Amino acid sequence: MRNAINISLQAGFHAFEVESDCLKLVQQLQRRKVEPSAFGVILYDILQLAKRCSYISFSHVRREANVVAHSLAKLSKDFNEFRVWLEKYPPQIHGHVLMNVSSFSI
């Protein structure tokens, strides 16, 4: 999440919603609560980046509800270098993207 917010800010986005399937992370960010731990350091970094946003919200989404993000996360284990997809996505997840788009169709 920290990397996603940082990349989004660098790309010129300053208002967005961030979703995660990590309930503890979302709850801590919503409370703006930082604990004294390695996890707390990451929370602090995320909250500092959030201050640079004109609008940001954090919400919890079950993994099953965001198959595209989960598929990208699983696929990323196969890459040796850092990758960012802004307008295109890897062809390996095309089926998941189509299912996601069709679920929003009326």
Side-chain angles (χ1 to χ4, degrees), residues 56-95:
I56 188 168
S57 71
F58 303 102
S59 55
H60 176 255
V61 177
R62 290 183 347 269
R63 183 175 299 161
E64 300 82 24
N66 197 343
V67 177
V68 173
H70 183 64
S71 298
L72 282 170
K74 284 183 6 184
L75 183 62
S76 70
K77 293 189 278 184
D78 296 336
F79 300 126
N80 294 325
E81 68 281 340
F82 187 72
R83 293 185 182 203
V84 176
W85 298 281
L86 291 176
E87 295 180 16
K88 296 183 179 181
Y89 53 85
Q92 297 94 318
I93 67 160
H94 183 70

Side-chain angles (χ1 to χ4, degrees), residues 5-75:
I5 295 170
N6 193 31
I7 290 165
S8 298
L9 287 167
Q10 290 176 13
F13 298 101
H14 289 86
F16 43 87
E17 298 179 10
V18 184
E19 298 176 343
S20 175
D21 65 352
C22 181
L23 182 60
K24 179 180 178 182
L25 174 64
V26 171
Q27 288 174 335
Q28 299 283 353
L29 289 169
Q30 288 173 336
R31 292 182 193 132
R32 304 292 198 254
K33 184 177 182 198
V34 176
E35 57 188 43
S37 66
F39 182 67
V41 172
I42 295 169
L43 287 170
Y44 178 81
D45 287 350
I46 293 170
L47 291 170
Q48 289 303 110
L49 288 169
K51 289 179 181 179
R52 296 173 43 198
C53 301
S54 59
Y55 170 81
I56 188 168
S57 71
F58 303 102
S59 55
H60 176 255
V61 177
R62 290 183 347 269
R63 183 175 299 161
E64 300 82 24
N66 197 343
V67 177
V68 173
H70 183 64
S71 298
L72 282 170
K74 284 183 6 184
L75 183 62

